[in-house]
């Protein structure tokens, strides 16, 4: 209790800026927090043993969540690289109905596939990324091939220019989100990755959402100085379906608030392999990522990423082998970064997009943002946190 009181005291000493709401104040506190001090003492860690025992910071808010174990066969979970659902731990938070947190349910080594897909496959055309604003399709055709040698030898030449993968901030899949209009449209679509769709369907079913269809994805690529501004994901036409979030790489702090920004949010850690599900009441709550946390051991990988992907995969597994060379590139990238995949169902069954005039051109969130990644780069205009986001 002493540590928690110290944290509350630390937050209280942060002087509020003119017109600053409770969410923004806590966002700023964690953005400036110092790892290894009492600053992070109030952040809930769902992977820690004390949470299961109901003790420690924030544990009074933590509830056990029931999963639909029979909805996903052990074999389908295995095909997606997941442990049997009966072995998952799942938690909720008091005051946040519909929010489910699943600490790393992946089988040892299987995160490698999803990391590689985010960096090597999903970043390719015809998917859309922030670099498209300033570069031609030919220049962004294969970011992996253009970046892999830079990343493989990153430590030997730390003064080199950043590779294109290191400049990547977001990629959209399926129905491509229009950052200007904050809408999806029928005429801006490319096939959604089948492996990610299968993974998402299993997780959704385990959480009680049978029939979930993965139709849109936004991948965020965080550097250590990146933040994700305060926002609500309300652009999907069907809010009855959950939003799924998958984290890989370095840990981060996630803030989950209320329907209004004058409600102080709850802070929690997101570690590599963790999955969050926002549904029901929690589907339209304010949330943000104020801080990515560097490894306490310096530039190193989380322990769960040190185990290699097994060579013997199920015959009909959606997970593909990962070569040593490919993982060297991925590991080099993730030592100072994290990747987050969010997957959504946009339309209800049988629903169509409303007829509208063609939307304007997309804008690059690295230069004009409202609830986007801010990477702290002095050469890039910092993203604004729009209170209407």
């Amino acid at each position: 209790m002493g540590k928690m009181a110290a944290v509350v005291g630390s937050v209280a000493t942060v002087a509020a800026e003119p017109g600053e709401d409770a969410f923004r104040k806590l966002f700023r506190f964690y953005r400036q927090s110092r790892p290894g001090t009492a600053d992070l003492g109030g952040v809930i860690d769902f992977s820690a043993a004390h949470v299961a025992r109901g003790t420690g910071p924030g544990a009074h808010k933590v509830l056990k969540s029931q999963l639909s174990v029979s909805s996903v066969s052990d074999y389908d979970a295995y095909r997606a690289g997941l442990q049997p659902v009966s072995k998952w731990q799942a938690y909720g938070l008091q005051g946040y109905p519909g929010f489910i947190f699943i600490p790393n349910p992946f089988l040892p080594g299987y995160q490698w596939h999803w990391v590689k897909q985010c960096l090597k496959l999903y970043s390719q055309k015809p998917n859309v990324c922030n670099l498209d604003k300033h570069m031609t399709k030919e220049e962004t055709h294969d970011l992996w091939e253009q970046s892999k040698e830079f990343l493989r030898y990153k430590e030997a030449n730390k003064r080199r220019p950043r590779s294109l993968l290191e400049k990547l901030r977001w990629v959209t899949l399926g129905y491509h989100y229009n950052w200007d209009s904050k809408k999806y449209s029928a005429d801006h679509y490319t096939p959604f990755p089948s492996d990610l769709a299968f993974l998402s369907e299993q997780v959704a079913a385990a959480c009680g959402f049978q029939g979930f269809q993965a139709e849109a994805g936004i991948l965020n690529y965080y550097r250590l100085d990146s933040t994700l501004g305060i926002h609500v994901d309300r652009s999907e036409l069907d809010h009855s379906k959950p939003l799924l979030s998958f984290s890989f790489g370095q840990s981060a702090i996630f803030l989950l608030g209320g329907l209004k920004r004058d409600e102080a949010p709850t802070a929690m850690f997101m570690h590599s392999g963790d999955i969050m599900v926002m549904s029901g009441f929690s589907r339209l709550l304010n949330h943000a990522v104020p801080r990515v946390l560097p490894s306490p051991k310096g530039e190193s990988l989380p322990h769960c990423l040190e185990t290699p992907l097994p060579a013997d995969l199920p015959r009909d597994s959606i997970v593909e082998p990962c070569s040593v060379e490919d993982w060297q590139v991925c590991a080099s990238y993730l030592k100072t970064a994290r990747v987050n995949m969010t997957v959504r169902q946009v339309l209800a069954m049988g629903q169509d997009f409303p007829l509208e005039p063609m939307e304007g051109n997309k804008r690059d969130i690295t230069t004009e943002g409202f609830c986007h990644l801010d990477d702290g780069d002095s050469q890039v205009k910092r993203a604004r946190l729009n209170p209407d986001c």
Side-chain angles (χ1 to χ4, degrees), residues 130-159:
N130 62 290
L131 301 178
D132 297 335
K133 176 78 173 183
H134 307 292
M135 302 175 69
T136 66
K137 288 185 177 180
E138 290 73 23
E139 290 174 313
T140 61
H141 176 66
D142 196 333
L143 304 182
W144 174 270
E145 284 299 321
Q146 296 186 61
S147 305
K148 64 181 184 180
E149 294 306 316
F150 287 91
L151 286 166
R152 190 171 291 153
Y153 301 107
K154 180 173 71 172
E155 295 179 4
N157 185 11
K158 293 190 175 183
R159 294 187 177 182

Side-chain angles (χ1 to χ4, degrees), residues 138-250:
E138 290 73 23
E139 290 174 313
T140 61
H141 176 66
D142 196 333
L143 304 182
W144 174 270
E145 284 299 321
Q146 296 186 61
S147 305
K148 64 181 184 180
E149 294 306 316
F150 287 91
L151 286 166
R152 190 171 291 153
Y153 301 107
K154 180 173 71 172
E155 295 179 4
N157 185 11
K158 293 190 175 183
R159 294 187 177 182
R160 60 167 177 77
R162 286 185 302 164
S163 66
L164 290 180
L165 274 179
E166 291 169 301
K167 295 179 181 180
L168 194 61
R169 291 296 171 263
W170 56 263
V171 167
T172 53
L173 312 171
Y175 288 116
H176 298 285
Y177 187 68
N178 186 314
W179 302 100
D180 249 353
S181 66
K182 307 181 185 71
K183 294 180 180 180
Y184 301 94
S185 61
D187 60 354
H188 198 196
Y189 175 83
T190 56
F192 193 91
S194 60
D195 58 347
L196 182 54
F198 185 82
L199 171 70
S200 302
E201 289 160 7
Q202 308 316 305
V203 172
C207 294
F209 295 94
Q210 286 79 15
F212 174 84
Q213 295 183 339
E215 296 178 326
I218 298 178
L219 313 184
N220 282 325
Y221 299 78
Y222 294 76
R223 309 305 300 171
L224 291 179
D225 54 1
S226 297
T227 64
L228 182 67
I230 306 164
H231 70 286
V232 175
D233 292 291
R234 58 165 63 94
S235 298
E236 296 72 32
L237 276 65
D238 182 11
H239 295 152
S240 68
K241 298 299 188 292
L243 184 149
L244 311 179
S245 173
F246 303 86
S247 293
F248 303 105
Q250 300 302 320

Side-chain angles (χ1 to χ4, degrees), residues 46 51-52 59 61-70 84-103 203-209 256 268 275-279 282:
F46 288 100
V51 171
K61 287 187 174 183
V62 177
L63 310 169
K64 277 281 191 179
S65 288
Q66 296 298 315
L67 296 172
S68 182
V69 175
S70 62
V85 178
S86 59
K87 294 186 177 181
W88 298 7
Q89 298 295 318
Y91 301 98
L93 288 171
Q94 193 171 28
Y96 297 93
F99 176 75
I100 303 172
F101 195 106
I102 305 168
V203 172
C207 294
F209 295 94
L256 181 62
M268 62 200 80
I275 300 174
M276 289 192 307
V277 179
M278 296 174 69
S279 67
S282 295

Side-chain angles (χ1 to χ4, degrees), residues 133-134 363-369 380-384:
K133 176 78 173 183
H134 307 292
R363 70 183 181 217
D364 180 359
I365 65 166
T366 61
T367 58
E368 297 183 72
V380 177
K381 183 178 177 181
R382 296 180 66 86
R384 300 187 301 275

